[in-house]
Amino acid sequence: MTRPHLPADGADTVGAVGEFGVIDRVVARAGTAALADVGPGDDAAVVRTPDGRVVASTDVLVEGRHFRRDWSSAEDVGHKAAAANLADVAAMGAVPTALLVGLACPAGTPTAWLEGVAAGMAAECAPHGAAVVGGDTVASAPDSAAVVLSVTVLGDLQGRTPVTRDGARPGDVVAVAGRLGWSACGWAVLRRGFTSPHAVVTAHRRPSPPYAAGPAAADAGATAMCDVSDGLLADAGHLAEASSVVLDLDRGTLQSFVEPEGPLAQVAAAGGGNALAWVLTGGEDHAILATFPAAADLPAGFVRIGVVEAGPAGVRVDGIPAADVAEGLGEVPGHVHFG
Amino acid sequence: MTRPHLPADGADTVGAVGEFGVIDRVVARAGTAALADVGPGDDAAVVRTPDGRVVASTDVLVEGRHFRRDWSSAEDVGHKAAAANLADVAAMGAVPTALLVGLACPAGTPTAWLEGVAAGMAAECAPHGAAVVGGDTVASAPDSAAVVLSVTVLGDLQGRTPVTRDGARPGDVVAVAGRLGWSACGWAVLRRGFTSPHAVVTAHRRPSPPYAAGPAAADAGATAMCDVSDGLLADAGHLAEASSVVLDLDRGTLQSFVEPEGPLAQVAAAGGGNALAWVLTGGEDHAILATFPAAADLPAGFVRIGVVEAGPAGVRVDGIPAADVAEGLGEVPGHVHFG
């Protein structure tokens, strides 16, 4: 992996300023969490939990696997790391309140890069009143020059019942809010050495999850919900498995996510890949996938993409098993983390 | 770093069973958190917060920096990772309720090793009614064969006011509960290729923080508190800095932590190091350091080791600046994470 923006060890590196120098600089850019009674710098943070419960989730991002410093700016990485976590909270029907960040990085990491990550996280969190309230910074493994970021998000349900993955019932409607396939398309563009169409490259660098859709779905009576981080077919599979149902998706509707004049169609037409494959198997846009009772009014932003049926747990597209559909598109359904 | 227990990639590795295989095996050993409404396997966990606030802290452990697989069993690593976090919660005056674990590991990691880590964490958490409720598992950086563990702990204050680091006032008493120097002595023993005295080697592999001392200190009116993770002089320095006071420690009392017939004296007598240096600068025993009003009754387990005075923030031992004391012992005060 190339790292054009990385100077050698020097005055502005993590090794030169030390752990507490890093913490001071990062904290200065962390913003303030509206519900934090104790923020960064003590043994632990203290965050108010008005609901009486706290929602908590952790996502790990590894350089060279989840981001590349030559493809994404530090701010991009901060936005992306925060977004992946905030979307998990939204997918429970909650709103985010605070982040904690575990960071392992080489001594040669520029402090400016970490400050950029902190600024990106702060910007992604600020509209929610959330911010980084704690964390830990250590040196990378002796054999590694890569950054590892482990981000934990806390959230508040504001009185809602958490929407888990196991409540989908036959007869329910399947719906999705947000983009599908944009991040995957952007990744395909970057991998070929291009940086446009800008819209999909930006979607890869800084996903824009439909955060408000999660609580709105919970309020509308969603029976099951998750975010699409591994790809629609894969995450629909997790939901189907947890609920012991079949999710039968409508290929025509999913095809319509490839807008004829949009960037996915444009990249595909230029030979950059299969647009429907991105929609069905691309992860990291963090769309919100939910099931609703047939009589429910879908909240704004949700598009009906299928129905829940009884049967051996799994996902079908127009009745065809997901694995066969994905294979027909030359894709495996979803990320394989240890390939 | 040698890894005698690591087989080549094969049927029982993370790469062979995949992310969800890992999660299934680890969750099976996670135990149950008494306050968890939603545990592992969904987008996020949901944990009850009876106090109306949640305490949260993150610690990162990197293989080759914080543990070695040839020095510590998988269970040891799980105990140690959990203990470091549980001690942070105790040092706020709270009790732990749940852990989340971010894990980056190479595809060749034996699943049995991760199951051992999970079992160690579960055993360390169980007496508190806490357990792992969520996390994320990804492949290590492409350039690394090391495991990185980022553990986040949640805790409940049970109505107590959180005891931060900034409340020490001149006239207060300085006291400590728990062991000092045992982990550092154990590390010195292991580094020289020995495995006894067993007591200090075990203390290095599985620290035994005095968890109950934290809430007890809060109940007794502690004015400031932290855990000793970087070494007594270093952590006393953080507390002094946050409170803008001088902590003047009594050398004779600290010398008494080197029990004449105990393992520290024994290893030092055999030429293995300086016992007082371990007491003053050794971290990772996670003792609880606190300041109390002079009139307070110290809770059980606390030993008075000094007094708080006015003056430029810092730590002194019998009036001598900590840096000079440490230098006289041939040590730097506390961990340097990016040396």
Side-chain angles (χ1 to χ4, degrees):
Chain A
M1 169 175 18
T2 59
R3 295 217 188 85
H5 306 302
L6 269 192
D9 286 19
D12 291 330
T13 64
V14 166
V17 304
E19 182 186 6
F20 296 103
V22 170
I23 292 171
D24 286 347
R25 287 160 196 241
V26 168
V27 166
R29 283 154 186 82
T32 303
L35 292 178
D37 285 348
V38 178
D42 221 292
D43 292 272
V46 180
V47 181
R48 274 168 278 152
T49 54
D51 177 82
R53 296 167 293 181
V54 65
V55 172
S57 180
T58 296
D59 267 300
V60 183
L61 280 81
V62 175
E63 183 179 4
R65 304 244 181 236
H66 304 90
F67 65 89
R68 288 173 53 155
R69 283 194 238 176
D70 57 338
W71 281 10
S72 295
S73 72
E75 287 76 7
D76 290 338
V77 173
H79 274 278
K80 186 169 181 165
N85 275 276
L86 301 184
D88 282 323
V89 164
M92 297 301 283
V95 298
T97 59
L99 295 187
L100 295 101
V101 182
L103 170 71
C105 68
T109 308
T111 54
W113 191 83
L114 295 181
E115 290 169 41
V117 172
M121 284 188 185
E124 190 73 22
C125 288
H128 308 280
V132 172
V133 297
D136 190 22
T137 304
V138 302
S140 295
D143 67 354
S144 182
V147 173
V148 177
L149 272 170
S150 179
V151 182
T152 298
V153 61
L154 306 180
D156 193 78
L157 282 160
Q158 301 179 318
R160 294 182 198 92
T161 299
V163 184
T164 52
R165 298 180 175 193
D166 58 0
R169 295 293 170 261
D172 285 352
V173 165
V174 183
V176 70
R179 290 168 170 169
L180 294 172
W182 285 50
S183 178
C185 179
W187 183 81
V189 166
L190 286 164
R191 192 176 51 166
R192 296 173 75 218
F194 298 108
T195 56
S196 70
H198 190 65
V200 289
V201 170
T202 298
H204 175 74
R205 291 175 173 154
R206 300 189 184 189
S208 297
Y211 299 121
D219 290 339
T223 51
M225 183 154 58
C226 66
D227 86 317
V228 180
S229 51
D230 291 345
L232 179 65
L233 295 184
D235 287 305
H238 303 153
L239 198 151
E241 198 75 43
S243 297
S244 300
V245 294
V246 174
L247 266 55
D248 195 1
L249 309 182
D250 181 71
R251 185 171 182 134
T253 307
L254 292 169
Q255 183 69 53
S256 74
F257 279 76
V258 185
E259 302 157 22
E261 308 295 321
L264 274 62
Q266 186 186 336
V267 176
N274 183 316
L276 186 59
W278 293 323
V279 169
L280 294 180
T281 66
E284 302 199 338
D285 289 300
H286 303 292
I288 300 284
L289 175 70
T291 56
F292 296 89
D297 285 327
L298 296 188
F302 275 93
V303 175
R304 178 186 166 136
I305 60 169
V307 293
V308 180
E309 296 174 355
V315 177
R316 295 169 180 268
V317 179
D318 285 358
I320 301 165
D324 296 340
V325 174
E327 197 184 332
L329 294 166
E331 299 284 340
V332 293
H335 278 292
V336 176
H337 285 287
F338 295 101
Chain B
M1 168 173 22
T2 60
R3 296 216 186 83
H5 305 301
L6 269 193
D9 285 20
D12 291 330
T13 65
V14 166
V17 304
E19 181 186 7
F20 296 103
V22 170
I23 292 171
D24 286 347
R25 285 160 197 241
V26 167
V27 165
R29 281 152 188 84
T32 303
L35 292 177
D37 285 348
V38 177
D42 221 293
D43 291 270
V46 180
V47 181
R48 274 168 277 149
T49 55
D51 177 81
R53 297 167 293 182
V54 65
V55 172
S57 181
T58 296
D59 267 301
V60 183
L61 280 81
V62 175
E63 182 178 4
R65 304 242 181 238
H66 303 91
F67 66 88
R68 289 173 53 156
R69 282 194 239 176
D70 55 339
W71 281 10
S72 297
S73 71
E75 287 77 8
D76 290 337
V77 173
H79 274 277
K80 185 168 181 164
N85 275 276
L86 300 184
D88 282 323
V89 163
M92 297 301 285
V95 298
T97 57
L99 295 187
L100 295 102
V101 181
L103 169 71
C105 68
T109 307
T111 54
W113 190 85
L114 295 181
E115 291 170 39
V117 172
M121 285 188 184
E124 190 72 23
C125 288
H128 308 280
V132 172
V133 297
D136 190 22
T137 305
V138 302
S140 295
D143 67 354
S144 182
V147 173
V148 178
L149 273 171
S150 180
V151 182
T152 298
V153 61
L154 307 180
D156 193 77
L157 283 158
Q158 301 179 318
R160 295 182 197 91
T161 299
V163 184
T164 52
R165 298 180 175 191
D166 57 1
R169 295 290 171 261
D172 284 354
V173 165
V174 183
V176 69
R179 290 168 170 168
L180 294 173
W182 285 50
S183 178
C185 178
W187 184 81
V189 166
L190 285 165
R191 193 177 48 167
R192 296 173 74 219
F194 298 109
T195 56
S196 70
H198 190 65
V200 289
V201 169
T202 299
H204 175 73
R205 291 173 173 157
R206 299 190 184 189
S208 296
Y211 298 120
D219 289 340
T223 53
M225 183 154 59
C226 66
D227 86 317
V228 180
S229 50
D230 291 346
L232 178 64
L233 295 183
D235 288 306
H238 302 153
L239 197 151
E241 197 75 42
S243 296
S244 301
V245 295
V246 175
L247 266 55
D248 196 1
L249 309 182
D250 181 70
R251 186 170 180 133
T253 307
L254 292 170
Q255 183 69 54
S256 74
F257 278 76
V258 185
E259 302 156 23
E261 307 294 322
L264 274 62
Q266 186 186 335
V267 176
N274 182 315
L276 185 60
W278 292 323
V279 169
L280 294 180
T281 66
E284 302 200 336
D285 289 301
H286 303 291
I288 301 284
L289 175 70
T291 55
F292 296 89
D297 286 327
L298 295 189
F302 275 94
V303 176
R304 178 185 165 136
I305 61 169
V307 294
V308 180
E309 296 174 355
V315 177
R316 294 167 182 270
V317 179
D318 285 358
I320 301 165
D324 296 341
V325 174
E327 197 183 332
L329 294 167
E331 298 283 341
V332 292
H335 277 292
V336 176
H337 285 287
F338 295 100

